[in-house]
Amino acid sequence: MYCKFPSILTHNPDNILALENLSDITPQVVFNAPVETNACLSLIVDEGQTPTPVTTAPSYLPFANSTIFSLMNWMWLGSAMKSIGEMTKLITFLKSNKFKKEDLDSFNIHKETAKFDASLEASAQLAEGLTGAPNS
């Protein structure tokens, strides 16, 4: 997005805009809200500088809440293998009755990946035994 100006500017119009001016979401008042400086979508802070809040708005603007901020941060951070379609499937699951937050209390990605790998190996061995040929 850009803007054409009819004459040379004498000031930078972006200097008078605050983050709240760029969103139509009404910010909730939050005191001592943590500022996520390691998030992809967080404000850029020079090294050695401490972020100083300019308003009492939460640090997850322009999104409505921290859940949406975190999901969007995950979506656009790291691997480019994520798609909007896959994100939509994830959100559909998280909204369903099948999703239970308490199931994640003891979740360990390394242990679950090892279980999955073992299951794939067992399936491959079973298929090899049925066909008599190595599965590749």
Side-chain angles (χ1 to χ4, degrees):
M1 190 162 60
Y2 73 96
C3 184
K4 281 182 141 181
F5 296 98
S7 62
I8 297 175
L9 297 175
T10 58
H11 70 284
N12 182 352
D14 292 336
N15 288 344
I16 59 172
L17 288 176
L19 187 58
E20 296 80 35
N21 301 118
L22 302 176
S23 173
D24 58 359
I25 299 171
T26 305
Q28 302 167 0
V29 176
V30 176
F31 297 98
N32 298 323
V35 177
E36 293 189 40
T37 56
N38 62 344
C40 177
L41 300 175
S42 65
L43 296 174
I44 298 172
V45 178
D46 290 334
E47 192 173 318
Q49 241 185 356
T50 304
T52 54
V54 291
T55 68
T56 57
S59 63
Y60 47 78
L61 286 174
F63 305 105
N65 55 53
S66 62
T67 301
I68 294 172
F69 175 89
S70 297
L71 284 167
M72 292 301 292
N73 191 58
W74 172 81
M75 172 71 185
W76 298 111
L77 184 68
S79 170
M81 298 300 293
K82 297 172 251 177
S83 69
I84 291 175
E86 291 301 311
M87 178 67 139
T88 302
K89 289 178 187 177
L90 174 62
I91 298 302
T92 300
F93 169 70
L94 293 175
K95 289 178 176 179
S96 77
N97 292 334
K98 293 180 182 179
F99 177 74
K100 295 182 179 33
K101 182 180 172 186
E102 59 274 6
D103 290 347
L104 297 175
D105 289 345
S106 61
F107 177 77
N108 180 304
I109 187 67
H110 300 291
K111 288 180 183 178
E112 296 303 322
T113 301
K115 285 181 194 176
F116 184 61
D117 288 345
S119 171
L120 290 175
E121 180 65 29
S123 293
Q125 289 176 355
L126 179 62
E128 185 179 323
L130 294 176
T131 63
N135 213 8
S136 55

